[in-house]
Amino acid sequence: MKSVNRLGWLLLLLVALLMGGCGGRDEPTPTRTPVPTYTPTAVGQQPVAVAQQPQPQAQSAAPTDTPAPPTATFTPEPPTATPTPVPPTDTPTPTETPTATPTDTPTATPSPTVTPTPTPDYAFALEMAEQFPTQLPGVDEVRVYVYVYTGEAYALGGYTISVTKDGLALAALARSTDGLPGETRPGPSPYTRFANLGAAFFEKAEGVWEIQLTDRNGFPMGEAARFVLGPDDNLRELYLRYREK
């Protein structure tokens, strides 16, 4: 029992020395070793002591105003035109072009050349063809007066005329006289003309009349004159003047 007490005092003394030697030093307070806790284990397993570490107290940091990162502004892009698909077109199947058959070029037929009818070279020139009012109104009569002359003599005799009405020949027996000419009507008037042949035809005046100077054998001596008379035409006195060339 005494030995036990001694041992206790020695331990106390030793502890006091140790504490006295360390009392002057500024050392941190030793961390206490946590008491291990025992977790019950299933039968057949060894218990494992898990030491729980003391959780350090988190120091709460002073809140600071952290600026939020700038937010990107979304700018819409203009819409892109969507190409409209072009429907495929049917490619026409090439057709064979027929070879043109050469055709014979028609030969131009020359137009017939119209040969002008030569104007007969008459011995007398028709200088005048006129119509005057009839001297016998109310009578179906057509009078024809002709003056045939030359530059050296006043009148030439021995000539006659051919008369047709609507293409039908009428008999004319009168002959021209030579020497001094006569007159178509007595006394001076706007219708008085020199003449050396006269003939009267008693029939309707209406129609186409053609009168031409001829010789006594009926050969044309001058150009024919044409007159058109109406049904009640008063200009039934026909006058022609021929001059020898």
Side-chain angles (χ1 to χ4, degrees), residues 12-196:
L12 289 174
L13 181 61
L14 180 59
V15 169
L17 291 174
L18 292 172
M19 292 180 64
C22 298
R25 295 179 183 178
D26 189 8
E27 295 180 357
T29 302
T31 302
R32 294 182 179 182
T33 303
V35 179
T37 59
Y38 295 91
T39 303
T41 59
V43 179
Q45 293 183 354
Q46 296 296 326
V48 178
V50 179
Q52 294 183 353
Q53 296 293 332
Q55 299 294 329
Q57 295 181 355
Q59 296 180 358
S60 58
T64 58
D65 295 333
T66 302
T71 304
T73 302
F74 176 73
T75 302
E77 297 181 358
T80 304
T82 304
T84 303
V86 179
T89 57
D90 295 335
T91 303
T93 304
T95 58
E96 296 182 359
T97 303
T99 304
T101 303
T103 57
D104 295 335
T105 303
T107 303
T109 303
S111 301
T113 303
V114 179
T115 303
T117 303
T119 302
D121 188 14
Y122 295 117
F124 290 83
L126 178 61
E127 291 185 330
M128 188 177 295
E130 298 178 298
Q131 288 181 251
F132 302 118
T134 182
Q135 300 180 48
L136 300 173
V139 178
D140 291 333
E141 178 191 35
V142 175
R143 291 192 178 188
V144 178
Y145 291 99
V146 179
Y147 181 37
V148 185
Y149 78 103
T150 180
E152 297 177 356
Y154 288 107
L156 296 176
Y159 294 94
T160 187
I161 56 175
S162 67
V163 180
T164 62
K165 177 190 176 185
D166 297 330
L168 297 177
L170 302 178
L173 302 177
R175 297 287 186 271
S176 64
T177 58
D178 54 7
L180 293 176
E183 294 181 341
T184 57
R185 60 185 63 196
S189 73
Y191 311 116
T192 301
R193 298 290 186 269
F194 287 125
N196 62 338

